[in-house]
Amino acid sequence: MGSYTISVIHGDGIGPEVCAEGVRLLEALGQRYGHSFSFTEYLAGGAAIDATGDPLPQATIDGVKASDALLFGAIGGPKWENLPQDKKPEAGLLRLRKELGAFANLRPAIVFDELVDASTLKPEVVRGTDIMVVRELTGGLYFGTPRGVEGSGASRKGFNTMVYEASEIERIARVGFETAMLRSKKLCSVDKANVLDVSQLWRDVVIEVSKDYPEVTLSHMYVDNCAMQLIRDPKQFDVIVTGNIFGDILSDEASQLTGSIGMLASASVGGPVGFFEPIHGSAPDIAGQGKANPLAMIGSVEMALRYGLKLETEADAVAAAVKKTLADGLRTGDIMQPGCTQLDTQAMGAAVIERLG
Ligand code: IPM
Ligand code: MG
């Protein structure tokens, strides 16, 4: 029985709707297991720009750092798209990841048996898929300098830098190997070492680290091939470890194996406070209509329990309740199938809570 302070950042678009379901779920778990969760809301993204002019106010950074875990909805939207790069909602999210030292982003893509027909791929291709993408989150192309746009006219030049220090590669590689040790001991490191120098260093360091994990079978794959293999034969993968930009792209691709990006949760860890967020965006087109699938947020709560608060029993209970909800034929619009019952965001959240056992 514990007492936990949870920071909540609703953000923009469907962020508030899915966050509400995450909070309700934690409250229900608190009652069942005798924990006390207290919630404090902070601003980030477009909502913070509107209120303070800054996508990541200092009060948010300080508050989140003093809490036990962060639940994050989603940020961004057309309203803020034309702001300068460092004033955009996304810049706030990137700064927050960096401030929290959350360098390891775990993104599971699990195909539930109940949803094999929801994927755009053939059921026999996706059935049984269970992949963990370990994405480096605080370095690489997203943060490298120099960056910017310079010059004028036809000679205007835009540039970013993909840069990794060996120490950054080593620590994310270790997360990859540790994750593999807890699963089927297979790790695939994804890079572009046939072209990029930074990727050759990535590969060399991953191989060095592999000496500490003799039980793990390590393979390497170029990112273009990986993008192809993920839809050709996703079951060949177990744990994938890769850099920031490759992980961003491959995790969206992996999400579609499961039928909907509305299913994918993530945990960003490595710093003092874990950061838990759905991988879907703010989906402004469906915001405020009760259409959002809360299962990615509910999965993020499960990850907060498992990786952040170390409450394994409670995490298992959430996973089981989600499975039961799907087995009972309950669906949101994005994963709707013939013969199932379509629910809105709140009803789906409630259905999971009812099935906590
Ligand atoms: C993600 C998102 C973010 C990213 C955006 C919103 C900055 O796509 O979490 O995958 O690129 O990391
Ligand atoms: Mg992304």
Side-chain angles (χ1 to χ4, degrees), residues 112 114 320-331 340 355:
F112 291 94
E114 294 78 12
V322 169
K323 253 188 121 26
K324 180 109 208 335
T325 304
L326 294 171
D328 287 344
L330 305 178
R331 304 280 187 273
C340 291
R355 286 164 181 75

Side-chain angles (χ1 to χ4, degrees), residues 75 90 93-94 97 105 107 135 137 142 244 248 251-252 277-279:
I75 47 122
E90 288 79 0
L93 173 58
L94 298 188
R97 288 172 175 170
N105 183 215
R107 298 190 158 188
R135 169 189 178 194
L137 202 60
Y142 275 51
N244 206 342
D248 179 47
S251 61
D252 265 33
E277 59 173 324
I279 88 155

Side-chain angles (χ1 to χ4, degrees), residues 35-232:
H35 304 301
S36 124
F37 295 106
S38 61
F39 302 93
T40 316
E41 287 172 25
Y42 297 99
L43 289 171
I49 296 171
D50 289 350
T52 72
D54 180 350
L56 185 67
Q58 188 61 39
T60 298
I61 300 171
D62 297 341
V64 170
K65 278 187 178 167
S67 69
D68 296 309
L70 166 63
L71 285 191
F72 190 96
I75 47 122
K79 184 173 175 194
W80 307 283
E81 254 167 32
N82 295 321
L83 291 170
Q85 210 65 285
D86 62 327
K87 297 276 184 301
K88 284 185 181 161
E90 288 79 0
L93 173 58
L94 298 188
R95 254 166 61 210
L96 186 56
R97 288 172 175 170
K98 195 85 171 171
E99 284 281 352
L100 292 181
F103 70 86
N105 183 215
L106 310 179
R107 298 190 158 188
I110 300 166
V111 175
F112 291 94
D113 281 344
E114 294 78 12
L115 291 185
V116 282
D117 295 311
S119 174
T120 48
L121 298 182
K122 294 198 183 89
E124 61 268 31
V125 173
V126 295
R127 184 175 284 115
T129 297
D130 183 347
I131 300 172
M132 179 70 91
V133 179
V134 178
R135 169 189 178 194
E136 200 289 327
L137 202 60
T138 56
L141 193 58
Y142 275 51
F143 292 92
T145 50
R147 62 183 296 163
V149 179
E150 279 175 3
S152 61
S155 62
R156 246 178 332 152
K157 197 167 77 178
F159 47 95
N160 288 86
T161 306
M162 197 192 278
V163 53
Y164 273 117
E165 273 183 21
S167 61
E168 291 175 286
I169 303 169
E170 183 187 333
R171 65 183 185 179
I172 192 69
R174 286 195 187 281
V175 175
F177 283 104
E178 296 289 341
T179 308
M181 284 299 287
L182 297 174
R183 294 171 51 109
S184 63
K185 301 188 176 157
K186 265 174 61 186
L187 179 65
C188 179
S189 170
V190 174
D191 61 37
K192 188 71 187 173
N194 51 343
V195 176
L196 302 176
D197 302 290
V198 55
S199 276
Q200 187 58 54
L201 178 69
W202 177 280
R203 193 174 280 215
D204 294 346
V205 173
V206 171
I207 291 170
E208 280 161 30
V209 174
S210 74
K211 302 198 172 104
D212 293 341
Y213 299 89
E215 285 174 58
V216 176
T217 309
L218 172 66
S219 60
H220 303 275
M221 199 178 273
Y222 299 136
V223 63
D224 51 347
N225 186 27
C226 181
M228 192 254 289
Q229 296 295 340
L230 268 174
I231 51 172
R232 193 188 72 83

